[in-house]
Amino acid sequence: MTQESIKLEAIGANKQPTEASELLDKRDPNKTENGVVDDYDPHLHREVESPTTNAETLIHLLKGCLGTGILAMPEAFKLSGMINGIISTFLIGALCTYCLHVLVKAQYVMCKKLRVALLTYPDSMKIACDIGPTCLRGFAPYAPALTNFFLIFYQMGICCVYVVFVGQNLKYVFDEYTSTKYSLIVYMLIVFVPFVLIICIKNLKLLAPFSILANVITLITFGVVCYYIFQNLEDFSDRPAVGSLSDYPLYFGTTLFSLQAVGVVIALENNMATPKSFRQPMGVLNIGMILVTVIYVGMGMMGYWQYGDGIKSSITMNFPIAEILAQVIILSYSLAIYISYGLQGYVPVQIMWTNYIAKHLEDANAKKKSFYEYLLRIVCVIVTFVLAMTVPLLGLFISLVGSFCLSALGIAFPAIIEMCANWPEKSHPKTLLFWKDILLIGIGVIGLSAGSYSAIYAIAGKLASGDY
């Protein structure tokens, strides 16, 4: 099983949600007073074809977290202010890390109770509601669909970000060589067919060599970014310490988009040879997220320090475009993002196909099924391109996706799962755990509401004024 397919299985893209009753019926009647079966360890019952070592898992975690979001961090610092951005990014990084700990631990508790090796994210939400407070049990049948909705929106949002990123960077380079300055939409249309072709690749193994190429390009790009941002720095004090309060939700959404890696983390923990070491104080998760947070703080701080209020939604668009090095790096990184579109687009296609479409085609022949699957893939590309051409605002789109999806998937939902997984033995209104989870749910709801509103309001203002 490839690392990509492990990821899809972990978030629920390769299977339909399990009926909660099927798993609840498997519980061992010989359980202890706190409801946990002591003699069952889910980690020992996982069947992994090619388990990863701690070092390999750490590398995969860094790979999964370092994407397009890092190039948007300098603009995020412009919204937050320099000092506020440094402090807030560390705090958000700590929050993301803690919530990932909460999710992984809660899933382990539920697997132990139900005597199953692992649970997908949609399954986790459904079963959590089933075994949690009475007020949530009526919501259980709808929990997988809601989780899948956020997963689909998140992945489609990433695809939209990729389309805008590639289009903007192509325009930035080719405008240097053409007397006629074509619109961004023209460049998006030029790359439409290549995007359709890559998402129509069903076998993820075929994408593996291209993914390796994309990783190499990404590392080289980060090196060139450092080359540019460390030259001729101005006085640090010239950058405001704190930005406008009204811009903070936009900063929050962008940073959350950049740092949160809920789907990747579930997959990596499920595929480890020694999963118990994942959550240790000096385990893979803490070390990886510390490194990622430091890198993001460094990129945001240095990029904003170098370019100030002139920073673009992607720092690559601040490179001196007349230089061949800048042009090569911009085009190369656009190629890397294009390659990544194949995997990111694969996730929503598989969720929709497996859970909602394939079951209506059980009596159809293979040729008809294949036709409809390819049609779904093409429709997904069309949707991402229509959204990208309608809202070609890279930074604001990143903020919207981060606020709307990851406030739920990365903060609120893990808290709900933890509260329900420990209900009622360790989590009830008289326990600190219960109120801690209520606080996290509140943070998630506020982040979702305030961040989404601010991003949509800013997008509407930009589109109305034509300032994009």
Side-chain angles (χ1 to χ4, degrees), residues 171 174-183 186-187:
K171 176 176 169 56
F174 285 104
D175 276 358
E176 184 72 11
Y177 293 96
T178 58
S179 56
T180 303
K181 308 303 179 186
Y182 296 103
S183 70
V186 171
Y187 287 97

Side-chain angles (χ1 to χ4, degrees), residues 131-371:
I131 66 177
T134 305
C135 61
L136 291 178
R137 291 176 188 174
F139 176 70
Y142 311 103
L146 180 63
T147 307
N148 281 331
F149 167 76
F150 278 108
L151 287 170
I152 292 170
F153 191 100
Y154 173 50
Q155 295 296 148
M156 294 288 281
I158 292 176
C159 290
C160 291
V161 168
Y162 284 5
V163 171
V164 177
F165 180 89
V166 172
Q168 284 187 345
N169 281 274
L170 289 180
K171 176 176 169 56
Y172 187 50
V173 172
F174 285 104
D175 276 358
E176 184 72 11
Y177 293 96
T178 58
S179 56
T180 303
K181 308 303 179 186
Y182 296 103
S183 70
L184 177 59
I185 292 178
V186 171
Y187 287 97
M188 290 184 185
L189 291 174
I190 290 173
V191 298
F192 174 76
V193 172
F195 274 84
V196 169
L197 293 177
I198 197 167
I199 205 174
C200 285
I201 298 175
K202 293 183 179 182
N203 190 343
L204 291 178
K205 289 184 179 180
L206 297 177
L207 288 175
F210 297 100
S211 295
I212 295 173
L213 173 62
N215 292 335
V216 172
I217 292 173
T218 299
L219 291 175
I220 295 173
T221 299
F222 289 164
V224 175
V225 170
C226 292
Y227 167 75
Y228 280 117
I229 64 179
F230 281 98
Q231 296 185 32
N232 304 318
L233 291 169
E234 299 182 9
D235 192 334
F236 188 86
S237 61
D238 290 343
R239 306 292 177 244
V242 180
S244 170
L245 181 62
S246 61
D247 289 333
Y248 192 82
L250 297 176
Y251 156 82
F252 177 82
T254 301
T255 306
L256 199 61
F257 178 93
S258 303
L259 287 174
Q260 186 57 265
V262 59
V264 173
V265 165
I266 296 174
L268 294 179
E269 193 270 346
N270 286 347
N271 199 45
M272 284 186 69
T274 56
K276 289 186 183 299
S277 63
F278 189 74
R279 293 186 55 254
Q280 290 178 350
M282 290 304 293
V284 173
L285 180 56
N286 284 345
I287 293 176
M289 289 303 294
I290 288 172
L291 290 174
V292 167
T293 303
V294 169
I295 291 171
Y296 272 90
V297 169
M299 180 66 76
M301 179 183 73
M302 297 306 302
Y304 182 47
W305 187 358
Q306 173 65 252
Y307 297 111
D309 289 340
I311 191 68
K312 305 293 184 182
S313 55
S314 170
I315 194 172
T316 55
M317 297 183 66
N318 284 98
F319 291 174
I321 195 57
E323 296 184 10
I324 297 298
L325 174 62
Q327 296 172 16
V328 170
I329 287 300
I330 291 172
L331 292 177
S332 298
Y333 197 68
S334 296
L335 175 62
I337 294 302
Y338 161 73
I339 294 171
S340 300
Y341 183 94
L343 177 58
Q344 300 295 348
Y346 190 95
V347 177
V349 167
Q350 286 303 103
I351 293 175
M352 288 185 282
W353 176 256
T354 305
N355 296 323
Y356 306 108
I357 298 177
K359 61 185 178 181
H360 297 295
L361 298 171
E362 292 179 352
D363 297 330
N365 57 45
K367 186 175 181 180
K368 186 175 181 180
K369 288 181 179 179
S370 181
F371 169 78

Side-chain angles (χ1 to χ4, degrees), residues 22-55:
E22 294 178 11
L23 295 176
L24 292 172
D25 289 342
K26 294 180 181 179
R27 289 183 292 181
D28 193 327
N30 300 316
K31 59 187 179 184
T32 62
E33 292 182 358
N34 65 2
V36 177
V37 180
D38 291 331
D39 63 346
Y40 184 84
D41 186 349
H43 291 158
L44 300 179
H45 291 79
R46 292 179 180 173
E47 297 180 2
V48 181
E49 183 177 334
S50 301
T52 56
T53 65
N54 291 355

